[in-house]
Amino acid sequence: MTLHLPGADGALRAYEPRTEPLALTPGAPLTSRTVFSAAHVVADPYADTTPDSPAAVDWDATLAFRRHLWSHGLGVAEAMDTAQRGMGLDWAGAAELIRRSAAEAKAVGGRIACGVGTDQITGGTLAEVRAAYEEQLALVEESGAQAILMASRALAATAQGPDDYLEVYGHLLRQAAEPVVLHWLGPMFDPALEGYWGSSDLDAATDTFLEVIAAHPDKVDGIKVSLLDARREVDLRRRLPQGVRCYTGDDFNYPELIAGDEQGFSHALLGIFDPLGPLAAEAVRVLDTGNTAGFRALLDPTVELSRHLFQAPTRFYKTGVVLLAWLAGHQSHFTMVGGLQSARSLPHLSRAYELADSLGLFPDPKLAEERMRTLLHLYGVTP
């Protein structure tokens, strides 16, 4: 049945929804690449909250979504920015999320890595930044999850130059019990991280980043790069010490980076693999057989959707991710922590639906159509 979707110009246009989904079922474990989906949290729509109050999370639905990702062979990157970390989910909420998800991963045999940051403070001395990192690192390690050392707004505000980054990260890596993932999140995802690693010159910042790794290669499992610059990521991964992995966080160019070239490839830790989870897993299974062309044939058509969701201001990509989770039936509502369901326009959300539907991402296209029609009516769109 025809839907009338508003475009960027405000005009309505007819769209005929797909009637059959892609046939995507859990398969063999992934072997050629390590792939994490940075998973969103499901808000509790019945909680009496305000945008400034602590997040209210629907734990049952949140953990069910993680079981969905694990069932397809993906790892879960927990308490990352996809989970609205620093955008509605505070450290107390993130700590609870880490504890619950790590316990669930242990129960079902799922792979999990969790974000370690400093969001319990907003600023302070280098010693206070170190202490905040240490508190979170201890919790993640006690939960049994792998640690992802996230970029810190507090460190970005406090550090006077590269030496401060070398000191803080060196201290953390020396005390980490197991190898960690270092996360370089660009300012397009979080403007407060401008000049991270001590310079706004990305070449200089890269040198400092690599210096941290070179000093402690045995404590670095890999790096997660989220700069939306494929060339820079390739150059960086070619300079990594032997045995240190590159996990792409590039939601614009992930198929080519995961496929790689004659000199190497990237693994993946991606927010777009939240809505693309089953399709991404199927594509990697094809890649596991050595069929790069088949992998690209499955994953390349998804890039238009990803670039749409992650368009500027990129930090609001979570709204589209949660919309697609609701339309796909993974949650019963389109409500977000902090009320961020309002962070994207109806034309943006309509285009996200259209692109996802055309890819066959919705297990029940009829349900997705009905829910999209409800959203359109809520905004006053009628045939």
Side-chain angles (χ1 to χ4, degrees):
M1 189 173 178
T2 303
L3 286 176
H4 292 85
L5 304 177
D9 60 358
L12 296 179
R13 52 191 173 74
Y15 175 71
E16 296 295 331
R18 185 174 175 139
T19 58
E20 295 293 332
L22 281 179
L24 297 170
T25 57
L30 311 183
T31 57
S32 65
R33 304 290 188 273
T34 300
V35 181
F36 289 97
S37 167
H40 75 282
V41 295
V42 182
D44 179 353
Y46 303 127
D48 185 11
T49 61
T50 68
D52 295 328
S53 62
V57 177
D58 181 336
W59 294 112
D60 288 342
T62 293
L63 295 176
F65 187 73
R66 281 136 183 80
R67 291 194 297 272
H68 154 71
L69 295 171
W70 285 319
S71 75
H72 285 275
L74 301 172
V76 168
E78 190 57 276
M80 305 295 288
D81 64 296
T82 311
Q84 292 177 255
R85 187 89 180 259
M87 291 183 69
L89 188 69
D90 60 12
W91 167 235
E96 183 70 9
L97 177 63
I98 289 167
R99 293 188 191 97
R100 288 175 180 261
S101 291
E104 194 73 15
K106 184 177 181 179
V108 304
R111 182 166 185 167
I112 188 168
C114 298
V116 170
T118 63
D119 45 335
Q120 69 271 54
I121 63 173
T122 57
T125 64
L126 286 181
E128 289 168 332
V129 171
R130 278 199 311 270
Y133 263 130
E134 288 170 342
E135 177 189 355
Q136 297 199 15
L137 178 61
L139 185 144
V140 169
E141 290 185 339
E142 288 166 6
S143 77
Q146 183 179 16
I148 303 170
L149 292 187
M150 300 170 67
S152 162
R153 292 175 179 174
L155 181 55
T158 302
Q160 297 300 304
D163 287 346
D164 288 341
Y165 288 90
L166 293 171
E167 193 278 326
V168 169
Y169 277 92
H171 179 86
L172 294 169
L173 289 173
R174 282 190 294 272
Q175 66 178 250
E178 300 291 341
V180 307
V181 176
L182 296 181
H183 186 191
W184 185 355
L185 189 69
M188 66 289 294
F189 288 92
D190 187 344
L193 300 177
E194 179 65 42
Y196 212 73
W197 304 110
S199 178
S200 293
D201 180 326
L202 290 180
D203 291 334
T206 297
D207 289 342
T208 302
F209 187 45
L210 288 169
E211 189 174 346
V212 169
I213 299 164
H216 307 277
D218 59 321
K219 288 297 187 74
V220 181
D221 164 70
I223 62 169
K224 193 250 182 172
V225 187
S226 300
L227 298 175
L228 303 184
D229 183 335
R231 179 198 60 79
R232 184 170 293 279
E233 179 175 322
V234 171
D235 290 345
L236 178 56
R237 82 182 180 208
R238 289 175 180 171
R239 297 173 64 187
L240 292 174
Q242 185 71 27
V244 176
R245 310 182 201 195
C246 180
Y247 293 93
T248 187
D250 188 332
D251 299 279
F252 283 6
N253 304 291
Y254 51 93
E256 65 188 80
L257 291 165
I258 297 170
D261 55 30
E262 66 282 354
Q263 297 185 53
F265 56 82
S266 295
H267 299 270
L269 197 166
L270 288 161
I272 192 57
F273 282 4
D274 178 305
L276 291 184
L279 178 54
E282 180 62 25
V284 174
R285 276 191 285 271
V286 171
L287 187 60
D288 290 344
T289 70
N291 184 357
T292 303
F295 165 80
R296 295 294 298 267
L298 281 171
L299 214 52
D300 281 359
T302 68
V303 171
E304 185 178 5
L305 170 64
S306 188
R307 292 190 175 201
H308 176 74
L309 295 181
F310 285 79
Q311 68 183 222
T314 303
R315 63 188 180 278
F316 294 125
Y317 75 89
K318 287 80 120 174
T319 302
V321 166
V322 174
L323 170 80
L324 298 184
W326 173 54
L327 295 176
H330 294 299
Q331 55 193 78
S332 62
H333 57 86
F334 178 38
T335 305
M336 295 177 66
V337 171
L340 279 178
Q341 66 272 11
S342 63
R344 292 293 201 187
S345 68
L346 183 61
H348 178 93
L349 300 176
S350 296
R351 181 62 177 158
Y353 161 73
E354 181 180 359
L355 290 169
D357 182 67
S358 67
L359 291 168
L361 293 185
F362 301 126
D364 184 345
K366 185 64 177 176
L367 174 66
E369 176 191 339
E370 291 171 352
R371 289 186 168 182
M372 191 65 206
R373 193 180 303 280
T374 297
L375 183 67
L376 292 167
H377 285 179
L378 181 65
Y379 276 80
V381 178
T382 57

